[in-house]
Every structure is written in C-alpha cells, then in structure tokens.
Amino acid sequence: MAYKIVASQCTGCSACEPECPNKAISEKNGIFLIDPKKCTECVGFFDEPQCVAVCPVDNTCIVDKSLPRYPR
C-alpha cells in the first residue's frame, strides 16, 4: 500500500517532497520518509509514483513489502 525511501540511499535532495500529491513525504534529520498511511502509490493522480519518477538515485523509492499493495 505504500512506498518507502531507502534511507541509506537518500541524498536529501528534496525532489520527492513537493511532488507527492498526498503530502505523504516529510523530512527528518536530512532524510526523507514516506508516511504509509498517506501513500497511495499516486493511484488516481499519476501513472507512476512521483517519488520514483523524480528521485535521482535508482531504487531509492521502493515498494514497502511489509505492507499490502494499494489495489490498482
């Protein structure tokens, strides 16, 4: 149901935060986090999650496999 940001790969560039239509992304100590309660994988807004689309580091915004996927 949500994406997560791999903290060890996050550069803190902040590209993702303003792109999230659900305001699910926030910054804490220079690292960005995704609130799984707000993340909908951008379903209903965009064809792909915007955190993935704008992140300059591949595989930094990934599906949180500990949570169920949002139905497409």
Side-chain angles (χ1 to χ4, degrees), residues 32-67:
F32 287 81
L33 308 166
I34 298 175
D35 181 343
K37 294 177 183 170
K38 293 181 179 180
C39 179
T40 63
E41 299 183 18
C42 292
V43 171
F45 295 98
F46 300 98
D47 291 336
E48 74 174 306
Q50 293 303 284
C51 57
V52 175
V54 300
C55 185
V57 181
D58 289 341
N59 300 313
T60 297
C61 294
I62 61 172
V63 171
D64 187 342
K65 293 183 180 180
S66 69
L67 300 171

